[in-house]
Structure formats: structure tokens, C-alpha cells
């Protein structure tokens, strides 16, 4: 190489390793990637299949990440409940291994038992269990409730009071599981935690 501003060539010994999630052969054909650069790089190509194409690795990696993040969080976790591991094995992982790592990291943080449960997994797994978050049709029930219990201006309660009662009842019906309660309320777990702190409620 010749350094910028230098006037002599310096010998170096390097090995260049490149990675991409695109098909470079197709990129070359379409003109999106320089052909000469491709042939300089493609001396020893290694094709690594996506995680969804090697399902046998999912459980192994999940346990590896569980051990890693449990140690970081100072928790003792002994593995996964059968339903949780089944959901992990069925998922397609568009974000590949990094997505699996994020999923396990999330589950470890919210886990309250000795094993990772299905309820500890992120929101993306809700529909796979057949459980649906509260949707727009719940407004009909709310309209009915308001019509029967609030019949005059004097009966209109402060919004903060309504929110407090709804959160308390949701947590109670979900047996104190804030992950499930947040899911049913249609908010993130972090949002529910903030609302609980705002209203001075006690976490179950």
C-alpha cells in the first residue's frame, strides 16, 4: 500500500472477510454490484443458511442465549416450558439469529419463574397461541358500559380514575401477569409499568 501523503510503498499481509445478506451474483447481473470487485472478494465463498432453514439449531441457540442473559440478569433459569420452545421452533425468524437473541433477552428480563414460559415471549408470538389482543370491537362494550353507568354530567369520572380502575382490573384478571395484562390492554409492557407508577399502583 501507499499511505496518503507518503512516498513509498509498504508491504502488508491481510485477509479480507466480507459478509452480506444479498445474492451478489444476482446483484452483479443487475448492475447493482461491481463485477470486478465481486471476483476479487469471492475467492472462498461460504454460504450460511438462514436460521429458518436449520431448525435444529434453534433450540441449541435459544439455550445458549438463555444461559448468557440469565447470567447478565442474575437469574437462575432452568430452561423453557414446552409451549415456549414449541413457539420458538415454529417461528420464521426474518431477523435471523440476532432476532432469536433479542427474543431470548426479552424473555429473560420478564421471566418471573424458574423456566421461560410462552407468556414471557414478545408480542409477536401472541397470535400464534390463538390469543388476540383487545381490538376495536371492544369499543362496543365500552359504549354499552358508559351508556348504562354514566347517565348525567355529574357521573362523568376523571379520566385518571377510569384508567386506574381499568389497569387494576386487567392485572387482577390476568392473575398479576403484567406481560399478559399489557397485551390485553393493547400497550407495551414498558407503557403499562409507567402507568402503574404514575397511578401509584402496586405491581403484583
Amino acid at each position: 500500500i501507499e499511505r496518503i501523503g507518503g512516498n513509498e510503498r509498504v508491504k502488508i499481509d491481510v485477509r479480507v472477510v466480507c459478509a452480506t445478506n444479498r445474492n451478489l451474483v444476482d446483484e452483479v447481473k443487475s448492475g447493482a454490484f461491481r463485477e470486478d470487485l465481486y471476483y476479487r472478494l469471492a475467492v472462498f465463498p461460504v454460504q450460511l443458511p438462514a436460521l429458518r432453514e436449520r431448525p435444529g439449531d434453534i433450540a441449541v441457540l435459544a439455550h445458549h442465549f438463555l444461559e448468557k442473559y440469565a447470567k447478565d440478569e442474575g437469574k437462575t433459569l432452568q430452561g423453557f416450558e414446552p409451549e415456549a420452545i414449541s413457539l420458538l421452533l415454529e417461528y420464521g425468524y426474518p431477523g435471523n439469529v440476532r432476532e432469536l437473541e433479542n427474543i431470548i433477552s426479552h424473555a429473560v428480563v420478564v421471566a418471573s419463574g424458574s423456566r421461560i414460559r410462552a407468556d414471557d415471549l414478545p408480542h409477536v408470538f401472541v397470535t400464534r397461541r390463538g390469543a388476540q389482543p383487545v381490538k376495536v370491537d371492544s369499543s362496543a362494550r365500552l359504549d354499552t358500559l358508559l351508556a348504562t353507568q354514566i347517565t348525567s354530567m355529574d357521573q362523568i369520572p376523571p379520566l385518571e380514575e377510569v384508567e386506574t380502575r381499568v389497569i387494576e382490573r386487567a392485572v387482577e384478571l390476568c392473575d398479576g401477569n403484567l406481560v399478559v395484562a399489557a397485551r390485553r390492554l393493547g400497550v407495551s409492557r414498558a407503557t403499562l409499568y409507567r402507568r402503574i407508577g404514575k397511578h401509584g399502583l402496586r405491581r403484583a
Side-chain angles (χ1 to χ4, degrees), residues 77-152:
L77 294 168
Q78 300 170 358
F80 299 85
E81 292 289 349
E83 185 182 9
I85 200 68
S86 294
L87 289 169
L88 291 172
L89 292 173
E90 292 169 3
Y91 187 56
Y93 300 100
N96 227 328
V97 176
R98 191 178 298 277
E99 183 178 12
L100 173 60
E101 182 174 4
N102 288 341
I103 288 168
I104 302 305
S105 174
H106 169 99
V108 169
V109 170
V110 303
S112 57
S114 60
R115 299 168 72 86
I116 298 295
R117 301 176 302 165
D119 285 341
D120 298 327
L121 300 177
H123 182 77
V124 70
F125 292 92
V126 176
T127 54
R128 293 176 172 270
R129 302 180 65 208
Q132 299 293 331
V134 177
K135 294 187 178 179
V136 178
D137 60 359
S138 63
S139 63
R141 297 196 299 272
L142 183 59
D143 289 343
T144 301
L145 180 65
L146 293 174
T148 56
Q149 295 191 4
I150 302 176
T151 58
S152 70

Side-chain angles (χ1 to χ4, degrees), residues 7-101:
N7 54 15
E8 61 180 83
R9 294 189 175 184
V10 180
K11 273 192 173 184
I12 60 172
D13 183 9
V14 299
R15 178 171 297 167
V16 178
V17 179
C18 302
T20 179
N21 60 357
R22 298 187 179 186
N23 186 319
L24 289 186
V25 174
D26 291 341
E27 295 290 308
V28 169
K29 289 179 180 178
S30 68
F33 195 85
R34 283 175 46 182
E35 185 175 14
D36 61 330
L37 178 57
Y38 170 75
Y39 286 112
R40 283 180 180 273
L41 295 174
V43 176
F44 192 85
V46 176
Q47 290 284 90
L48 183 62
L51 184 58
R52 62 181 172 273
E53 297 173 19
R54 42 193 175 103
D57 290 350
I58 294 174
V60 175
L61 288 168
H63 281 89
H64 166 72
F65 292 134
L66 173 64
E67 183 177 343
K68 173 184 174 182
Y69 287 104
K71 184 177 180 181
D72 289 347
E73 294 292 327
K75 291 185 174 182
T76 302
L77 294 168
Q78 300 170 358
F80 299 85
E81 292 289 349
E83 185 182 9
I85 200 68
S86 294
L87 289 169
L88 291 172
L89 292 173
E90 292 169 3
Y91 187 56
Y93 300 100
N96 227 328
V97 176
R98 191 178 298 277
E99 183 178 12
L100 173 60
E101 182 174 4

Side-chain angles (χ1 to χ4, degrees), residues 141-171:
R141 297 196 299 272
L142 183 59
D143 289 343
T144 301
L145 180 65
L146 293 174
T148 56
Q149 295 191 4
I150 302 176
T151 58
S152 70
M153 287 196 301
D154 293 338
Q155 293 178 315
I156 299 175
L159 182 60
E160 188 168 315
E161 180 183 331
V162 174
E163 185 176 77
T164 300
R165 291 181 180 178
V166 170
I167 290 174
E168 285 180 332
R169 186 58 176 152
V171 173

